[in-house]
Amino acid sequence: MGYARKVGWVTAGLVIGAGACYCIYRLARGRRQSKEKMAEGGSADVDDAGDCSGARYNDWSDDDDDSNDSKSIVWYPPWARIGTEAGTRARARARARATRARRAVQKRASPNSDDTVLSPQELQKVLCLVEMSEKPYILEAALIALGNNAAYAFNRDIIRDLGGLPIVAKILNTRDPIVKEKALIVLNNLSVNAENQRRLKIYMNQVCDDTITSRLNSSVQLAGLRLLTNMTVTNEYQHILANSISDFFRLFLAGNEETKLQVLKLLLNLAENPAMTRELLRAQVPSALGSLFNKKENKEVILKLMIVLENINDNFKWEENEPAQNHFSGGSLFFFLKEFQVCADKVLGIESHHDFLVKVKVGKFAAKLTERMFPKSQE
């Protein structure tokens, strides 16, 4: 009896191990297919949107990055300290709970199918899980499934027609950062669609507030910035963010390199729209913004910031708007541009900068800006 019992336990362990491996394989394959699909469709176009032009930034989520997912999918309780026996058991329970949640979502959605692309009936079941469940690990698994399927253009219409937009947007009220991030990723993928953008615009203020007030450089903040970037690919809804431009500049200055680049993508979308030029020039910018032009700052950050400033300068008719220049208050981007030549010479040291491209780019812009603001006829 003792020998038979041992054999039984070994057999059960092999079965459970095989099931867990299969679940991990399914999840990995779904992400890989989603990544391939996003690589095919990640251009600057919006589905059925005709006014997307130029090098607008249409940002896909980075949820398909395996190194990030492996860290964020399984939530470990704070007492699961690595290196302790109790922590090892707690982490094992957390992994098992997440695995069961993913398996339950897949089983409820598609019990007899091995496809990672869900049918409308299966998507409806997943949406029901999102709407009815209160368990974070169930919500997380269901949102990951929705995010992977929302990467396909034909599924964006289906999820909308099933009433999925308000169901997912409601999750934004959660305090769980992992669940909120997954909800933002789903909305980000769904927003690459003109009709979806029209319906999602009512959530832009909430997303904007959450993004600005979230923990600096957090995954939630980056996911919010990506969604706002997608929502500003076209000019139609950019005015909703007009009162938050100053906050974006403060976030740009305080954030790390990844946050800076993501904010710049959003600002570049706004700067390409002539209708937003006044709002951008009116925005209050930190006095330390000029300190970014130094030899230690990332080259890509400086060059993208220069593109933003060039677009604003090109869209603003300085001579025609001379009477209105008094309407810009001190500390605004307008006055920052007026002092840019001094700022560049003092902080950057154009002639001695080690990067030739940065030196040329900043030098040409400073000369162009001086010529536009102070034409020779006024000298």
Side-chain angles (χ1 to χ4, degrees):
M1 291 295 293
Y3 176 76
R5 186 176 302 165
K6 290 181 180 178
V7 172
W9 280 110
V10 171
T11 304
L14 291 174
V15 171
I16 293 173
C21 290
Y22 176 71
C23 181
I24 294 172
Y25 160 75
R26 286 291 306 280
L27 187 63
R29 191 183 69 170
R31 285 202 188 86
R32 184 167 61 252
Q33 291 180 353
S34 175
K35 186 174 183 179
E36 292 171 356
K37 181 62 179 177
M38 285 190 278
E40 295 173 2
S43 66
D45 297 326
V46 173
D47 294 352
D48 303 320
D51 55 348
C52 177
S53 59
R56 293 292 179 94
Y57 281 96
N58 181 4
D59 234 350
W60 290 95
S61 71
D62 290 340
D63 189 46
D64 53 281
D65 183 70
D66 293 337
S67 61
N68 291 333
D69 283 342
S70 61
K71 297 177 182 178
S72 62
I73 287 177
V74 181
W75 178 84
Y76 296 115
W79 57 85
R81 296 178 58 188
I82 298 177
T84 64
E85 184 178 352
T88 301
R89 290 197 300 269
R91 293 170 71 85
R93 287 194 296 269
R95 285 194 299 268
R97 186 164 57 245
T99 300
R100 289 196 300 271
R102 290 193 293 268
R103 189 180 300 167
V105 168
Q106 186 63 36
K107 184 176 180 181
R108 293 186 195 184
S110 182
N112 301 315
S113 173
D114 192 44
D115 279 332
T116 54
V117 180
L118 303 180
S119 68
Q121 294 77 14
E122 294 162 351
L123 286 171
Q124 189 169 32
K125 293 178 183 179
V126 176
L127 286 171
C128 286
L129 283 177
V130 174
E131 188 173 21
M132 303 301 294
S133 179
E134 297 180 356
K135 297 184 181 297
Y137 51 89
I138 293 289
L139 287 172
E140 182 185 349
L143 290 169
I144 289 174
L146 281 178
N148 287 341
N149 279 268
Y152 297 88
F154 57 87
N155 271 341
R156 295 177 196 133
D157 292 328
I158 295 174
I159 294 173
R160 180 188 67 241
D161 294 338
L162 291 172
L165 299 184
I167 291 176
V168 177
K170 187 177 179 181
I171 305 298
L172 296 177
N173 297 321
T174 184
R175 295 184 178 181
D176 189 305
I178 296 177
V179 173
K180 178 177 285 191
E181 178 199 359
K182 301 306 178 188
L184 287 168
I185 289 171
V186 175
L187 295 178
N188 180 37
N189 289 348
L190 289 172
S191 68
V192 191
N193 178 290
E195 179 59 23
N196 286 351
Q197 282 196 359
R198 189 182 69 81
R199 301 195 186 193
L200 289 173
K201 66 180 181 180
I202 61 175
Y203 305 108
M204 285 183 67
N205 283 326
Q206 179 184 355
V207 173
C208 186
D209 293 341
D210 288 347
T211 299
I212 292 170
T213 58
S214 292
R215 183 170 57 85
L216 185 63
N217 305 323
S218 64
S219 298
V220 173
Q221 189 171 75
L222 289 171
L225 285 171
R226 293 186 186 105
L227 175 56
L228 293 174
T229 301
N230 264 354
M231 292 295 295
T232 55
V233 168
T234 61
N235 299 341
E236 195 168 356
Y237 311 115
Q238 293 182 357
H239 65 279
I240 298 176
L241 303 181
N243 294 329
S244 301
I245 296 176
S246 298
D247 295 318
F248 289 131
F249 274 106
R250 284 193 288 271
L251 180 59
F252 168 72
L253 188 65
N256 59 16
E257 184 177 314
E258 186 177 8
T259 300
K260 281 184 171 67
L261 290 173
Q262 195 60 54
V263 173
L264 285 173
K265 292 179 182 180
L266 173 59
L267 291 176
L268 184 55
N269 284 351
L270 301 180
E272 287 189 345
N273 180 9
M276 293 296 296
T277 302
R278 283 180 175 274
E279 302 296 340
L280 288 162
L281 288 171
R282 191 177 291 117
Q284 294 290 307
V285 297
S287 57
L289 183 62
S291 65
L292 289 174
F293 296 92
N294 60 71
K295 300 178 183 180
K296 296 181 180 179
E297 187 58 59
N298 178 273
K299 170 184 174 181
E300 187 178 0
V301 171
I302 295 179
L303 292 178
K304 285 188 181 298
L305 178 59
M306 291 305 305
I307 295 174
V308 172
L309 298 180
E310 283 181 344
N311 286 343
I312 296 173
N313 177 59
D314 292 341
N315 288 332
F316 188 70
K317 308 300 181 184
W318 294 95
E319 296 178 3
E320 297 177 8
N321 290 280
E322 185 175 357
Q325 294 182 17
N326 295 329
H327 297 160
F328 297 108
S329 60
S332 65
L333 182 61
F334 174 82
F335 281 95
F336 174 81
L337 290 179
K338 290 194 71 171
E339 299 173 0
F340 181 83
Q341 179 69 60
V342 176
C343 166
D345 287 339
K346 180 180 179 180
V347 180
L348 181 62
I350 295 176
E351 297 301 326
S352 61
H353 196 273
H354 65 279
D355 189 278
F356 179 76
L357 182 59
V358 170
K359 180 168 61 176
V360 171
K361 189 79 170 177
V362 175
K364 284 186 176 180
F365 176 68
K368 182 178 180 181
L369 195 63
T370 302
E371 182 180 352
R372 293 285 298 275
M373 282 187 162
F374 309 104
K376 295 182 179 180
S377 58
Q378 296 181 6
E379 292 180 354

